[in-house]
Amino acid sequence: MLKLAKTPVVAVLAVFLTLSAITGHTTENKVAVASAHPLASHAALEMIGRGGNAFDAAVAIGAVLAVVEPAGSGLGGGGFWLLHRASDGFETMLDGRETAPLAAHQDMYLDAEGRVIPGLSIDGPLSAGIPGVPAALVHLAEHYGKLPLSASLQPAIRYARDGFIIGERYRRLLSFRLPQIQSSPAAAAIFLDNGRVPDPGWTLRQPDLAKTLQRLADFGAAGFYAGETAEKLLKSVKAAGGIWSQQDLDNYRVVEREPVKGTYRGIRITGAALPSAGGIGLVQALNILTEYDLTAIDAVTRKHLVTEALRRVYHDRALYLGDPDFIDVPVSRLINPDYAAGLRSTIRKDRSLPSVMLSGDIPEQAGGDNTTHFSVMDGEGNRVAATLSVNYPFGSGFVAEGTGVILNDEMDDFDSRPGAVNVYGLIGGLPNAIAPGKRMLSSMSPTFLEDDERIAVLGTPGGSRIISMVLLGILDFADGNGPDSWVSVPRYHHQYIPDAVQYEPGGLSSEELQGLEKLGHRLRETSYRYGDMQALQWHKREGRFSAASDPRGEGLAVIRND
């Protein structure tokens, strides 16, 4: 039986149109998928219907999202794919994070006085790292999938060539980045309607991107990092002031990394490894919280303790974390329960600890969010949690002429200067300083959970708030709730800098706001409800899936339990 969760009319029609084309091949395969766009979710069904597995579905989802969600991901971006292979229990993380160009250097975004030049690490091709998504899609298909890459990319090629109707989220984020899109003639020609934000119901067609995807399908990684696509990328980037070279493209490699593992009250956590801060941060926070019975205390104290744990996690993020191929990070110590006990000893239940007490004078800056996430699991037990990004909405705002590829602005995720904050308000230092070929630190947190009864796959976009959102989802899993609840939990956040509890509208009740303020917390409401969690769960004894797509977004969860 097929079940649709959070299903707009357009999505229902799209799913049933797709299923009608593959009837007879899907009912024997159990599958669950949740992604940020309905077209990506039913592309996964299409791959399962053709005899593929969760890894083939993940290739199709990632490629389709690159087409239909250009504000959040794309071939010009990067990401992390957390994998579990059922046949032998093997788990790994595909690191498809972008790398700094070889011509990059630590002071490239500073003026003569050593001050960060506003916008330089955010807008235009100078802000772009070398993309990892194309190489990761190829790697995933060749090493883990059952179908050829050319088959898994067909849905994305189709939607790029034939087009699709844009949603309200596209229009909202495009409005936010309109000046940057307008400054790139190739981007404006693709994403705007005669130079303006398109009206609802407009069809976005991307013929150049369809050709780029087809070259990737035909030639694998060489179809992007060499040949016609590479020539067009380099020509446009250099003409607009970027510093990419063919050697940068030749050097790019996907890295398989051992995931970060931890436990919390009988739950086994598998999280993303560096250069993601997510796995370390989640295990640290849960290690701190494990000695508190969060179900037996009042709501104010619970949120106070979670906030104080997050404050310490993000403080350590700034002090220690970066690309493990460039620096020695004390991962074992950071995720050790004894280390967490030391952090816990500095927490008081009756008072907050200002961030200045952790690390001297600190700057303040607000942040934003954007990225994408999907979760998929097949009937064999293979599963994928993947978080992909171009960083800021529509990345750098720059499209390389003739490619349809919008470039990321992930160079902003480096620390342009020790003590400076990035566009998300995150502070850092030398561990995450710019260096040629280095991968910038990330908060993306694809995650697996497992206890004796259930397996969960979850993650979300959200910039610097990703770790806190996934943490709240894990705690809700621990409380016995299911995916519908995890994706809907009211959200609050602390990231050490700025020293404030950020919360979405409705994220904290009036009583909780008053109680936290009495404990000394500064409070800051965001202007919108944030995040777009995609989550699924396998019930071991019942042998069935449940799944949910965040009500804040436009995604779709699809379940087939027979």
Side-chain angles (χ1 to χ4, degrees), residues 53 88 152 165 176 205 212 218 247 291 322 327 372 392 427 436 465 497 540:
N53 57 21
D88 57 2
S152 300
I165 296 175
F176 176 71
R205 294 183 176 87
T212 297
D218 292 341
Q247 188 177 357
E291 293 301 318
I327 63 168
T372 195
Y392 223 32
I427 190 170
R465 303 183 186 115
I497 306 298
K540 294 180 180 179

Side-chain angles (χ1 to χ4, degrees), residues 30 41 74 163 193 199 239 253 272 275 347 367 383 442 449 512 524:
K30 293 183 178 183
S41 293
D193 184 8
D199 293 329
R253 296 290 184 275
I347 296 175
R383 55 186 184 265
S442 172
L449 308 174
E512 289 166 345
R524 182 178 298 172

Side-chain angles (χ1 to χ4, degrees), residues 41-377:
S41 293
H42 70 72
L45 292 180
E46 187 175 338
M47 294 305 105
I48 298 296
R50 292 182 179 181
N53 57 21
F55 308 121
D56 299 303
V59 174
I61 296 167
V64 169
L65 288 172
V67 174
V68 302
E69 204 187 25
S73 65
L75 295 186
F80 302 121
W81 289 254
L82 194 62
L83 312 181
H84 173 93
R85 186 170 60 202
S87 61
D88 57 2
F90 175 71
E91 292 185 333
T92 189
M93 186 191 83
L94 302 189
D95 176 359
R97 185 64 160 157
E98 300 90 338
T99 58
L102 293 174
H105 58 88
Q106 188 170 341
D107 300 330
M108 63 186 290
Y109 300 118
L110 306 181
D111 62 18
E113 284 73 42
R115 296 170 298 195
V116 176
I117 301 172
L120 201 59
S121 64
I122 302 170
D123 303 327
L126 189 62
S127 68
I130 307 305
V133 165
L137 295 179
V138 174
H139 186 98
L140 185 56
E142 291 182 348
H143 293 273
Y144 297 95
K146 296 165 65 176
L147 301 175
L149 177 68
S150 57
S152 300
L153 293 184
Q154 284 309 304
I157 293 170
R158 184 170 68 241
Y159 296 130
R161 181 190 64 233
D162 300 339
F164 65 98
I165 296 175
I166 62 169
E168 184 55 37
R169 184 172 183 271
Y170 174 93
R171 298 182 68 250
R172 174 173 58 84
L173 294 175
L174 188 60
S175 298
F176 176 71
R177 292 287 276 166
L178 186 59
Q180 289 72 33
I181 297 295
Q182 289 173 330
S183 68
S184 170
I190 296 168
F191 300 117
L192 302 180
D193 184 8
N194 293 317
R196 63 181 182 83
V197 176
D199 293 329
W202 188 69
T203 298
L204 173 59
R205 294 183 176 87
Q206 302 169 81
D208 286 338
L209 183 58
K211 295 175 184 176
T212 297
L213 283 161
Q214 188 62 59
R215 287 190 287 272
L216 187 66
D218 292 341
F219 305 110
F224 184 89
Y225 296 91
E228 183 177 350
T229 298
E231 291 172 3
K232 292 180 176 181
L233 286 168
L234 295 175
K235 181 179 178 180
S236 289
V237 165
K238 291 177 180 178
I243 56 174
W244 288 12
S245 69
Q246 183 59 53
Q247 188 177 357
D248 288 314
L249 299 177
D250 291 341
N251 287 353
Y252 189 84
R253 296 290 184 275
V254 174
V255 180
E256 292 208 19
R257 302 191 189 274
E258 184 178 352
V260 174
K261 302 290 184 74
T263 60
Y264 175 74
R265 294 182 171 265
I267 301 167
R268 296 179 291 282
I269 299 103
T270 302
L274 289 170
S276 168
I280 293 172
L282 289 170
V283 171
Q284 269 195 300
L286 292 166
N287 283 344
I288 293 170
L289 295 171
T290 192
E291 293 301 318
Y292 303 112
D293 186 354
L294 297 181
T295 63
I297 57 179
D298 63 274
V300 171
T301 303
R302 174 174 173 139
K303 289 175 172 59
H304 164 67
L305 294 173
V306 171
T307 294
E308 290 300 303
L310 286 168
R311 187 197 304 273
R312 286 151 180 79
V313 164
Y314 278 86
H315 175 249
D316 278 1
R317 182 193 196 278
L319 284 181
Y320 300 116
L321 304 190
D323 185 342
D325 295 334
F326 280 71
I327 63 168
D328 185 15
V329 180
V331 176
S332 297
R333 176 168 67 87
L334 292 173
I335 63 174
N336 190 298
D338 291 337
Y339 178 75
L343 296 177
R344 189 187 313 115
S345 69
T346 68
I347 296 175
R348 291 180 53 169
K349 286 188 176 181
D350 63 342
R351 182 183 303 174
S352 68
L353 178 73
S355 293
V356 69
M357 299 295 290
L358 292 176
S359 198
D361 292 336
I362 50 178
E364 294 274 344
Q365 179 160 320
D369 69 276
N370 204 68
T371 296
T372 195
H373 179 87
F374 66 85
S375 299
V376 61
M377 184 173 178

Side-chain angles (χ1 to χ4, degrees), residues 314-319 321 359 361-364 413-415 417-422 424-429 432 441 464 495-498:
Y314 278 86
H315 175 249
D316 278 1
R317 182 193 196 278
L319 284 181
L321 304 190
S359 198
D361 292 336
I362 50 178
E364 294 274 344
D413 273 356
F414 282 118
D415 296 300
R417 178 177 57 78
V421 290
N422 69 7
Y424 294 113
L426 287 169
I427 190 170
N432 192 38
L441 191 61
S464 60
Q495 62 183 52
Y496 164 59
I497 306 298

